[in-house]
Amino acid sequence: MDKINQWSEELETLKSIIAKTALVETTKWGGCVYVLDNKNVIGVAGFKNFFTLWFFNGVFLKDEKKHLVNSNEGVTKSLRQWRFTSKEEINETEILAYIQEAIENEKQGKIIKPEKTKATITIPNIFQKELNTDTKLEEAFLKFSPYKQREFLEYIETAKREETKLSRIEKIKPMILDNIGLNDKYR
């Protein structure tokens, strides 16, 4: 919660304000997080140059007072931080208003869903030739999940020399035909 122990009093003040809401305190990732129906709403923490109140779905807050910042511009999509550098900056009325809005947004289900990226699988020419000449091998390979297909393809592609790639193909052919994933023995 306070990595360098310089904001203890300030964080306790924030926690006493949050205690006036319907949020429940819990610990996640080694920090203090407040949840509503087991969904993360806000968190508090102390850092070297500031202490902060962060809103997991802060992107949906109106932020009329312009207190919130994106902690990692271009990367962080929904989390927003309200940073403080002294106890005097803590305004209970404003903080409670922001927290109540965050709670309402959570009740309404406002979240940014992670984008699912459809990774394309590119089969190297050297392996594609094998698949073209052996339909059983091709059918067996296509039955594997994209994840396991990628494991096989990366195993082939990480070899530097063509001879090594060919020997790896020979090694995995029986595994593919027997429906055994490349790393199944480790799972």
Side-chain angles (χ1 to χ4, degrees):
M1 185 172 75
D2 183 6
K3 305 282 187 219
I4 53 175
N5 297 319
Q6 77 181 47
W7 305 112
S8 303
E9 186 180 334
E10 291 85 350
L11 292 172
E12 287 304 316
T13 302
L14 285 179
K15 290 171 79 175
S16 70
I17 294 169
I18 298 166
K20 298 175 182 179
T21 70
L23 298 176
V24 177
E25 183 178 336
T26 186
T27 302
K28 294 187 179 185
W29 312 286
C32 190
V33 175
Y34 292 85
V35 298
L36 181 72
D37 298 326
N38 291 320
K39 295 200 169 106
N40 302 336
V41 180
I42 59 175
V44 295
F47 296 95
K48 183 177 180 181
N49 298 319
F50 60 90
F51 60 101
T52 184
L53 174 66
W54 73 84
F55 298 85
F56 284 92
N57 286 305
V59 69
F60 297 110
L61 296 173
K62 293 180 191 117
D63 193 23
E64 293 165 348
K65 303 278 187 178
K66 305 293 181 214
H67 292 301
L68 304 179
V69 295
N70 185 333
S71 62
N72 199 353
E73 201 66 50
V75 177
T76 304
K77 303 228 184 305
S78 62
L79 188 123
R80 295 294 180 270
Q81 288 184 342
W82 186 343
R83 295 178 177 176
F84 306 91
T85 56
S86 73
K87 190 174 182 178
E88 291 71 40
E89 295 176 9
I90 298 174
N91 180 323
E92 182 173 334
T93 307
E94 286 181 10
I95 291 171
L96 283 172
Y98 274 72
I99 293 172
Q100 289 304 337
E101 184 182 353
I103 290 170
E104 285 307 310
N105 288 342
E106 188 61 48
K107 287 178 180 176
Q108 293 171 19
K110 291 184 178 179
I111 59 168
I112 292 179
K113 293 189 178 176
E115 299 169 11
K116 287 190 176 180
T117 55
K118 184 85 173 174
T120 57
I121 297 174
T122 306
I123 299 174
N125 290 336
I126 194 167
F127 187 57
Q128 187 62 56
K129 289 177 187 172
E130 289 289 328
L131 296 177
N132 292 343
T133 58
D134 188 344
T135 55
K136 285 184 181 178
L137 181 66
E138 183 178 31
E139 286 173 15
F141 180 73
L142 293 175
K143 286 181 184 174
F144 281 102
S145 67
Y147 175 78
K148 288 191 176 188
Q149 288 177 4
R150 271 192 295 283
E151 283 183 340
F152 283 119
L153 299 176
E154 285 175 12
Y155 177 67
I156 296 167
E157 281 297 292
T158 54
K160 292 181 176 76
R161 299 179 357 187
E162 187 148 341
E163 297 129 26
T164 309
K165 289 181 183 188
L166 289 169
S167 73
R168 287 182 178 187
I169 289 171
E170 291 305 314
K171 179 181 176 184
I172 63 171
K173 278 166 67 172
M175 295 173 75
I176 293 171
L177 291 169
D178 291 338
N179 196 30
I180 300 170
L182 183 66
N183 296 311
D184 283 357
K185 66 180 176 185
Y186 303 112
R187 289 192 175 96

